[in-house]
């Protein structure tokens, strides 16, 4: 009886242990007042019983379970391999790694910014081509003008009667089949452009907030340098080129981190400080005076060109060549004045390269945005009120010429500014050495080109496609020029915050300025009477108001009318929305300040 009772108790114990989870079972066996041999026997019996139960259950659900598990594992492996494959297919992935390894993150930030703008233009081109250009092909009339070749530079002549410009698009409702579904070109035009700008606004805000949070809010840990030195190397790398590239990349990152840690603080005497302040003031006066003179020259030149075009209206070779005077003069100013600003920056002798680049970028942005502002005033107040039959197409042609000529000057700048500079520095004047890549000037060229593209979308819907091609060519030209002509920065420095600054400059004043120009054009200025999808209306936005009036007669569309009257056209709604956004921004800023204070305290504790 005693033997039977002990056997029954042990079987019950094994059954109870088998029903427990793995962690609970281990703890229960460890707490038993038994020898190690006995504990092993009990553990083996428990495992055997669990195996028998699993085999019994598997005989019932084996087919379905194995198929399901096999499918899940296959999908997981397929997803992992697909993600690795797409990672390798990223645009210019290998090129960016080479640039970052050889020239550091400061130069790499320019190429990442260029890639980011290229994606913007690809997205814009797909939207405009799909919803504006493709439907227009159905209602397009044949083009009777001859192509001479100079149109590629001027954008006039043959291109004037194509889908490249606003004036070619119809104001009729397109219907390929009688009594079939129709396509309202007015609504498609204004909604495609409007939705694209809304997406750009949200994307810029999200990118700026994400970059700000990563580079300003979240501090770098003290163990970053040690972890890069001791724990970063990937021992799966066996290819010799990949090993050398990774070594260069890691070495450049560590140098940049050490440059931030070992930054020298220079102490100047009172006389030296006064001299430096005077030099800074004189440099700023000279830079602002140059910008004002450039804007005045662009304005008077544009006025004289408009008088010439409106009065003569010729389509011969000489008249088309005269159209290039304004864009060439504007591009010359944008090309040579930044070199003067760079010379001023070297004259001021800033303590760190970061300060010099920020000052140079600020001066360049003042110059370029001022020129764009003068051109916008000329287009919206002078060209729109001129005797031109289709002033929107005339504005589109001006912007097209500015984009194309700016692209050509960008290529020439790489040749004369970097290639010839390398020849001079290596043969004529060896003390100069190889040139460094001018990050500030090149970034501002990108922002200027993108600003023109955003303004021109309303007047030339396919302009993002042209800018997409130009940015792709600029990337390869700049890459070749960088690798062949330039040297890495003499002072190695980390530029994690530069990308945030680039996005901020693209958002303000560039994008917000473009929104104000587009808003004035859509809401305030009367469209041309003889061309474009909005001909005959008091404003472009009047097409939306007329559409809402039609929807008021349909019961199923009452919700659209309610949203329009109570939200989109309500000043109170936007006032409340602005207050809510400001409150959220203030609360988020207070959270950031609290985290910074806590981070400082924790750093002190770590140091102690």
């Amino acid at each position: 009886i005693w033997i039977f009772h002990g056997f029954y108790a042990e079987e019950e114990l094994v059954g109870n242990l088998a029903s427990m989870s793995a962690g609970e079972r281990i703890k229960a066996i460890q707490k038993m007042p038994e020898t190690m041999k006995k504990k092993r026997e009990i553990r083996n019996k428990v495992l055997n019983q669990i195996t028998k139960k699993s085999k019994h259950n598997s005989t019932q659900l084996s087919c379905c379970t194995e198929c399901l598990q096999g499918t899940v594992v296959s999908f997981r492996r397929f997803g992992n391999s697909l993600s690795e494959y797409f990672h390798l297919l990223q645009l210019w992935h290998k090129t960016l790694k080479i640039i970052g390894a050889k020239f550091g993150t400061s130069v790499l930030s320019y190429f990442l910014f260029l890639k980011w703008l290229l994606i913007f233009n690809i997205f814009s081109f797909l939207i405009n081509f799909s919803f504006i250009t493709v439907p227009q092909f159905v209602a397009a009339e044949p083009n009777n003008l001859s192509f001479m070749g100079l149109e590629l530079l001027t954008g006039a002549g043959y291109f004037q009667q194509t889908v490249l410009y606003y004036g070619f698009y119809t104001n009729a409702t397109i219907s390929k089949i009688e009594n079939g579904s129709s396509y309202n070109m007015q609504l498609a035009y204004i909604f495609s452009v409007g939705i694209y700008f809304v997406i750009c606004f949200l994307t810029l805000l999200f990118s700026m907030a994400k970059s700000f949070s990563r580079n300003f809010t979240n501090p770098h840990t003290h163990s970053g340098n040690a972890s890069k030195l001791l724990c970063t190397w990937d021992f799966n790398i066996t290819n010799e080129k990949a090993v050398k590239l990774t070594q260069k990349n890691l070495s450049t990152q560590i140098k940049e981190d050490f440059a931030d840690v070992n930054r020298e603080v220079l102490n100047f005497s009172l006389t030296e400080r006064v001299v430096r302040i005077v030099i800074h003031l004189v440099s700023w006066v000279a830079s602002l005076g140059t910008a004002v003179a450039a804007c005045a020259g662009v304005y008077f030149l544009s006025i004289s060109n408009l008088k010439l075009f409106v009065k003569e209206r010729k389509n011969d070779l000489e008249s088309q060549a005269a159209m290039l005077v304004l864009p060439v003069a504007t591009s010359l100013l944008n090309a040579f004045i930044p070199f003067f600003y760079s010379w001023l920056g070297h004259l001021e002798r800033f303590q760190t390269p970061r300060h010099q680049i920020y000052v140079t970028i600020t001066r360049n942005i003042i110059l370029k945005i001022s020129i764009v502002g003068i051109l916008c005033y000329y287009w919206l107040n002078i060209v729109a009120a001129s005797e031109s039959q289709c002033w929107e197409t005339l504005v589109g042609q001006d912007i097209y010429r500015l984009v194309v000529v700016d692209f050509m000057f960008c290529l020439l700048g790489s040749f004369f500014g970097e290639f010839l500079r390398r020849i001079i520095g290596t043969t004529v004047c060896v003390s100069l050495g190889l040139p460094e890549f001018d990050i500030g000037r090149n970034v501002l060229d990108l922002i200027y080109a993108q600003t023109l593209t955003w303004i021109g979308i309303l007047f030339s819907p396919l302009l993002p496609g042209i800018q997409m091609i130009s940015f792709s060519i600029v990337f390869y030209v700049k890459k070749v020029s960088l690798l062949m002509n330039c040297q890495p920065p003499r002072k190695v420095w980390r530029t994690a915050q530069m990308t945030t600054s680039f996005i901020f400059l693209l958002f303000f004043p560039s994008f917000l300025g473009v929104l104000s120009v587009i808003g004035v054009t859509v809401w305030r200025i009367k469209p041309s009477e003889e061309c474009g999808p909005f001909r005959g209306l008091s404003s472009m936005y009047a097409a939306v108001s007329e559409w809402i009036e039609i929807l008021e007669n349909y019961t199923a569309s009452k919700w659209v009318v309610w949203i329009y009257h109570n939200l989109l056209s309500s000043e109170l709604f936007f006032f409340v929305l602005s207050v809510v956004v400001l409150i959220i921004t203030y609360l988020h800023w207070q959270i950031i300040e609290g985290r910074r204070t806590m981070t400082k305290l924790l750093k002190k504790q770590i140091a102690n």
Side-chain angles (χ1 to χ4, degrees):
I1 294 173
W2 179 81
I3 294 173
F4 178 77
H5 178 72
F7 177 78
Y8 178 76
E10 186 174 338
E11 288 294 324
E12 186 179 3
L13 176 62
V14 170
N16 293 332
L17 291 173
S19 61
M20 296 180 182
S21 63
E24 293 176 348
R25 188 187 312 123
I26 292 173
K27 291 180 180 180
I29 295 175
Q30 288 176 348
K31 292 179 181 179
M32 288 181 183
E34 301 287 346
T35 60
M36 291 297 296
K37 183 178 179 181
K38 185 66 175 177
K39 288 181 180 180
R40 290 194 187 99
E41 291 178 358
I42 295 174
R43 184 193 63 183
N44 293 333
K45 290 182 179 179
V46 171
L47 294 177
N48 290 333
Q49 186 169 347
I50 292 173
T51 304
K52 291 179 181 179
K53 286 184 178 181
S54 62
K55 287 182 179 180
H56 178 70
N57 294 331
S58 63
T59 56
Q60 299 177 355
L61 301 173
S62 59
C63 289
C64 294
T65 305
E66 288 181 4
C67 289
L68 184 62
Q69 289 179 351
T71 305
V72 170
V73 171
S74 299
F75 271 108
R76 188 181 293 117
R77 290 176 179 173
F78 176 74
N80 293 334
S81 60
L82 198 64
S83 63
E84 292 178 1
Y85 181 71
F86 278 115
H87 182 72
L88 293 175
L89 288 180
Q90 284 183 1
L91 191 61
W92 302 318
H93 177 70
K94 184 179 179 181
T95 303
L96 293 174
K97 289 184 68 176
I98 294 173
I99 293 173
K102 189 172 182 180
F103 295 90
T105 56
S106 57
V107 178
L108 178 63
S109 62
Y110 165 80
F111 288 91
L112 291 174
F113 187 63
L114 175 57
K115 174 184 173 182
W116 195 66
L117 290 180
L118 177 62
I119 295 173
F120 254 117
N121 285 283
I122 293 174
F123 176 69
S124 174
F125 173 75
L126 292 177
I127 289 181
N128 291 348
F129 186 78
S130 301
F131 296 102
I132 300 178
T133 304
V134 171
Q136 177 61 30
F137 285 135
V138 178
E141 298 178 358
N143 191 346
N144 298 322
L145 299 176
S146 59
F147 182 77
M148 296 187 295
L150 193 61
E151 291 90 343
L152 294 174
L153 290 178
T154 63
Y158 178 83
F159 286 158
Q160 190 170 349
Q161 298 298 324
T162 61
V163 292
L164 183 60
Y165 295 117
Y166 164 94
F168 184 74
Y169 289 85
T170 181
N171 65 334
T173 301
I174 300 174
S175 180
K176 192 172 183 180
I177 304 174
E178 293 186 3
N179 299 325
S181 58
S182 58
Y183 193 83
N184 193 322
M185 179 57 71
Q186 292 180 344
L187 297 179
Y189 202 99
I190 196 168
F191 281 147
S192 297
V193 175
I195 291 173
Y196 168 70
F197 276 110
V198 169
I199 294 174
C200 282
F201 179 79
L202 296 176
T203 304
L204 284 171
L205 274 183
F206 177 77
S207 301
M208 192 164 52
K210 185 178 179 181
S211 182
F212 180 84
S213 175
R214 182 175 61 248
N215 297 322
F216 287 88
T217 306
N218 298 328
H220 298 280
T221 58
H222 287 281
S223 61
N225 296 329
S227 64
K228 282 182 181 178
L229 187 62
L230 301 176
C231 310
T232 304
W233 188 259
D234 186 1
F235 288 92
N236 291 323
I237 301 175
T238 56
N239 184 270
E240 186 177 354
K241 290 183 178 180
V243 168
K244 290 182 179 180
L245 182 62
T246 307
Q247 286 176 345
K248 284 185 178 180
N249 202 346
L250 183 59
S251 174
T252 305
Q253 291 180 15
I254 294 175
K255 288 179 182 178
E256 290 172 350
D257 290 333
F258 284 162
D260 276 352
V261 174
N262 300 325
R263 187 185 303 163
E264 295 182 3
V265 179
L266 301 178
N267 295 320
F268 298 101
S269 64
L270 180 61
T271 306
E272 291 175 337
R273 291 179 183 176
V274 172
V275 171
R276 288 175 62 86
I277 292 173
V278 170
I279 293 175
H280 288 320
L281 289 176
V282 171
S283 299
W284 274 105
V285 170
S287 62
L288 293 177
T290 307
V292 171
C295 292
V298 169
Y299 177 74
F300 288 112
L301 185 61
S302 60
I303 294 296
S304 61
N305 274 355
L306 179 64
K307 292 179 181 178
L308 177 67
F309 300 150
V310 171
K311 287 182 180 179
E312 296 188 1
R313 293 179 183 175
K314 293 180 180 179
N315 200 30
D316 57 357
L317 193 64
E318 183 179 355
S319 298
Q320 289 198 29
M323 297 177 183
L324 296 173
V325 174
L326 177 61
V328 168
T330 304
S331 297
L332 282 173
L333 293 173
N334 283 324
F336 286 103
I337 294 179
F339 285 107
F340 173 66
Y341 289 165
S342 298
W343 177 77
L344 289 178
H346 289 294
L347 185 66
E348 292 173 285
R349 294 183 180 179
F350 292 94
Q351 294 186 21
T352 61
R354 183 183 290 109
H355 292 159
Q356 180 177 341
I357 287 181
Y358 281 145
V359 171
T360 305
I361 285 178
T362 303
R363 289 169 180 168
N364 279 281
I365 199 72
I366 291 174
L367 170 70
K368 294 180 182 295
I369 294 300
S370 299
I371 291 177
V372 172
I374 290 294
L375 290 173
C376 289
Y377 175 82
Y378 156 70
W379 290 326
L380 300 184
N381 290 275
I382 299 176
V383 177
S386 65
E387 301 175 2
S388 176
Q389 294 180 352
C390 190
W391 65 268
E392 294 92 346
T393 297
L394 189 60
V395 172
Q397 291 175 356
D398 273 346
I399 298 176
Y400 174 89
R401 288 189 286 270
L402 286 168
V403 169
V404 172
V405 175
D406 179 74
F407 165 68
M408 296 174 62
F409 269 79
C410 184
L411 301 183
L412 292 175
S414 296
F415 177 77
F416 288 102
E418 295 166 0
F419 174 71
L420 292 183
R421 170 68 173 77
R422 177 179 69 88
I423 299 297
I424 294 172
T426 53
T427 57
V428 180
C429 186
V430 184
S431 60
L432 290 176
L434 295 176
E436 293 186 16
F437 189 78
D438 194 339
I439 302 170
R441 178 174 57 85
N442 285 284
V443 166
L444 265 297
D445 288 342
L446 295 180
I447 294 178
Y448 171 75
Q450 186 60 39
T451 304
L452 291 177
T453 305
W454 277 334
I455 297 174
I457 284 177
L458 193 63
F459 308 104
S460 178
L462 296 185
L463 194 61
I466 299 170
Q467 196 64 273
M468 179 179 66
I469 298 173
S470 68
F471 278 166
S472 301
I473 298 174
V474 165
F475 184 94
Y476 286 105
V477 170
K478 291 292 182 182
K479 182 201 76 171
V480 173
S481 178
L482 176 72
L483 296 176
M484 292 182 60
N485 303 321
C486 299
Q487 65 172 339
R490 294 183 180 93
K491 294 182 179 180
V492 181
W493 54 287
R494 185 173 51 83
T495 178
Q497 299 172 354
M498 288 293 291
T499 305
T500 309
S501 303
F502 297 160
I503 299 175
F504 177 77
L505 289 175
L506 187 66
F507 180 76
F508 176 82
S510 177
F511 184 75
L512 292 183
V514 170
L515 285 184
S516 62
V517 172
I518 297 297
V520 170
T521 306
V522 171
W523 269 274
R524 297 295 183 185
I525 299 180
K526 185 178 180 180
S528 299
E529 294 287 345
E530 301 179 5
C531 70
F534 303 101
R535 67 189 78 174
L537 298 178
S538 59
S539 66
M540 294 183 182
Y541 189 72
V544 180
S545 302
E546 293 181 358
W547 178 60
I548 293 297
E549 292 178 0
I550 296 174
L551 291 181
E552 289 178 351
N553 300 324
Y554 297 94
T555 307
S557 303
K558 291 292 183 182
W559 62 276
V560 179
V561 178
W562 184 90
I563 291 175
Y564 174 79
H565 288 298
N566 294 279
L567 298 181
L568 298 182
S569 60
S570 174
E571 294 84 358
L572 179 62
F573 169 74
F574 286 101
F575 175 76
V576 173
L577 183 63
S578 301
V579 171
V580 171
V581 170
L582 289 175
I583 292 174
I584 294 174
T585 305
Y586 174 76
L587 293 176
H588 185 65
W589 182 259
Q590 291 299 315
I591 293 172
I592 291 174
E593 289 298 321
R595 288 177 179 174
R596 284 180 175 175
T597 305
M598 182 60 66
T599 302
K600 290 179 181 178
L601 294 175
L602 292 174
K603 284 183 177 180
K604 288 182 179 179
Q605 292 181 11
I606 293 173
N608 292 332

